[in-house]
Amino acid sequence: MTKLRRRSTFDRRYERFVRSLRDQIVTGQLKPGDFILSEHELADLYELSRGSVRKALSELVSEGLLLKIAGRGNMVTYPRKGDIRLATIKLGWFSPSYELPVVRQLLQRFEERFPMLRVQLVPIPTPECVETLMEWNASETVIDVFVLPDFFFLRWVQQGWVHQLHPYLPEEMQREQSSYPQLLSMFQHDGVQYATPFVFSPVEIGYHRRMWENAGIRGPNPIRDWMGLVETARRCSIRTPDGECDQYGFCFSASRNRWPVFLLQNGGRLADADGTLLLDYPRNVEALRFCVDLMYQHRVVPVFSHGSNRLAEDLFMRGRAAMILTTYYFMNEFRYQGMDWDLYLPRWDAKRRHCCWATVWPSM
């Protein structure tokens, strides 16, 4: 998640002060009747002049959040119902996302809890969301907060637009305890944290319990290596008398969040440390050949000619595939399908590099 603003260093300090004080009042950390710190103390704390602090406090007084009492200071208060002045936050979200109904429910609960805040949900068209956001910003249709996948952030950097993003990392966030360092680094540029990762979606294997049972698959770890995957998928595959596949043993899409898992499992890599492409790297070739063999030689996986996730997930949800390579993020779609399914979570085998199905791939 990141913010889109163009601000000077002073503007950032000033906004940080106003936002921090307003948040403490709206969220109940400061309660009606509490007196806040003196102007002098606030100026030292937020590195602002007393004049700037006095101006910011006047804003909160006009919003009905503070009451200035002569000789005593500024006291927290709540405005009368008819005097409430709502603050609006524009939240950008991808327009085709299946999460939108859930997001709207969350926003409704948020506004019930914080009646002085309103969140305007703005659907962002894809795939050109980066260009759309830049056009909106240029026309002063600014989106305050929006979701930014890692590959869109990379495009932002490549286009030279990263300076338009307001660096965002919550002050209370503890880097080591709150997230993986690798995830944080994906949203950094020139040492600046421009966005904070809040969704990490590992890639895992899901399977239908009934299909495994019908195929006689038992034991805690039937897939010990790549050929174990092939054998399990073969046992779960069902063909019609004329040779057509009625049930696939395994399925995965060709999207960037799926097939690279095979490269990672095999110790492959797409580029060297200096950025040189390694498309013909032997372990890459071996992994990609295995993917092709799953489709054409072993015939346990449907042939996909494009990178859409939908075909593979639909097959799995309709019970036409026993196993699937999917992400925690996409598992939300399985929630109401009435399927008896589970995740396959084998243990890491450090001695066998091709037996590492515990490896995850970020799907931001």
Side-chain angles (χ1 to χ4, degrees):
M1 182 171 288
T2 191
K3 294 186 176 181
L4 183 59
R5 289 285 188 189
R6 180 183 299 159
R7 291 290 184 265
S8 67
T9 302
F10 167 77
D11 289 333
R12 292 174 182 174
R13 291 201 308 270
Y14 184 87
E15 289 186 355
R16 172 174 167 259
F17 167 55
V18 175
R19 183 175 63 250
S20 175
L21 189 51
R22 182 187 290 117
D23 288 349
Q24 290 180 63
I25 297 173
V26 172
T27 60
Q29 298 177 55
L30 290 173
K31 303 184 183 305
D34 291 345
F35 281 86
I36 64 173
L37 297 176
S38 67
E39 293 179 0
H40 177 75
E41 291 172 311
L42 291 171
D44 288 342
L45 181 61
Y46 289 93
E47 299 179 346
L48 294 168
S49 68
R50 292 187 65 179
S52 297
V53 169
R54 193 173 297 114
K55 177 184 175 183
L57 295 179
S58 296
E59 290 183 26
L60 298 179
V61 168
S62 65
E63 293 177 14
L65 299 178
L66 289 177
L67 178 63
K68 189 173 182 62
I69 301 178
R72 298 191 62 186
N74 293 280
M75 185 183 74
V76 176
T77 182
Y78 279 168
R80 292 174 300 178
K81 187 173 182 180
D83 295 336
I84 292 179
R85 298 181 61 180
L86 301 177
T88 301
I89 302 171
K90 291 185 178 180
L91 171 64
W93 211 276
F94 297 126
S95 55
S97 174
Y98 58 84
E99 299 170 315
L100 283 175
V102 176
V103 172
R104 290 191 176 97
Q105 291 180 22
L106 293 175
L107 294 182
Q108 182 179 354
R109 295 180 186 178
F110 176 85
E111 292 179 352
E112 289 173 355
R113 181 177 178 184
F114 306 111
M116 287 175 286
L117 296 177
R118 287 291 179 268
V119 181
Q120 179 184 349
L121 187 62
V122 182
I124 306 173
T126 54
E128 302 300 327
C129 83
V130 173
E131 289 75 11
T132 299
L133 286 167
M134 288 303 301
E135 291 175 3
W136 287 353
N137 188 48
S139 63
E140 298 185 354
T141 307
V142 177
I143 304 299
D144 298 296
V145 184
F146 59 93
V147 179
L148 183 71
D150 60 313
F151 50 94
F152 282 170
F153 177 73
L154 181 60
R155 283 176 57 189
W156 216 295
V157 173
Q158 292 172 340
Q159 293 288 347
W161 294 337
V162 72
H163 68 280
Q164 297 283 352
L165 300 178
H166 181 76
Y168 179 63
L169 185 68
E171 297 177 1
E172 67 276 8
M173 181 176 180
Q174 298 178 354
R175 291 173 177 261
E176 299 301 324
Q177 291 77 18
S178 302
S179 185
Y180 297 104
Q182 295 88 341
L183 296 182
L184 287 166
S185 65
M186 294 171 71
F187 297 95
Q188 293 175 1
H189 180 65
D190 289 340
V192 178
Q193 189 75 47
Y194 282 98
T196 299
F198 80 110
V199 174
F200 174 53
S201 185
V203 174
E204 302 284 2
I205 292 180
Y207 69 95
H208 285 280
R209 291 191 182 97
R210 177 183 54 80
M211 294 181 186
W212 273 28
E213 292 173 359
N214 292 343
I217 298 173
R218 301 287 189 274
N221 195 15
I223 307 176
R224 301 191 61 84
D225 52 29
W226 280 12
M227 293 315 298
L229 172 65
V230 172
E231 178 58 28
T232 302
R234 183 180 289 120
R235 293 172 63 179
C236 291
S237 297
I238 299 177
R239 297 193 174 279
T240 62
D242 58 0
E244 294 295 325
C245 191
D246 188 56
Q247 175 181 297
Y248 290 99
F250 185 53
C251 64
F252 68 95
S253 76
S255 77
R256 63 178 296 278
N257 302 86
R258 304 293 191 274
W259 67 264
V261 168
F262 293 98
L263 269 66
L264 294 175
Q265 298 288 3
N266 203 44
R269 51 186 180 176
L270 295 178
D272 225 333
D274 60 359
T276 303
L277 292 178
L278 298 173
L279 297 181
D280 60 347
Y281 186 61
R283 291 191 177 180
N284 293 348
V285 175
E286 182 183 32
L288 293 175
R289 183 177 292 121
F290 176 76
C291 292
V292 174
D293 287 346
L294 285 173
M295 302 177 191
Y296 294 98
Q297 178 182 335
H298 307 296
R299 300 176 65 192
V300 295
V301 171
V303 177
F304 293 136
S305 59
H306 56 80
S308 171
N309 295 328
R310 179 60 60 182
L311 290 176
E313 264 76 5
D314 280 352
L315 281 175
F316 185 73
M317 287 188 288
R318 297 200 328 258
R320 296 292 304 280
M323 295 183 291
I324 186 173
L325 195 64
T326 188
T327 66
Y328 275 87
Y329 181 81
F330 210 97
M331 289 174 195
N332 289 295
E333 295 231 352
F334 302 161
R335 182 179 303 171
Y336 305 112
Q337 300 300 319
M339 303 183 300
D340 183 19
W341 68 282
D342 203 349
L343 287 179
Y344 177 66
L345 300 172
R347 295 179 179 177
W348 173 271
D349 189 343
K351 295 182 180 179
R352 306 176 68 175
R353 64 175 174 82
H354 55 286
C355 177
C356 51
W357 286 106
T359 296
V360 295
W361 180 252
S363 171
M364 301 299 292

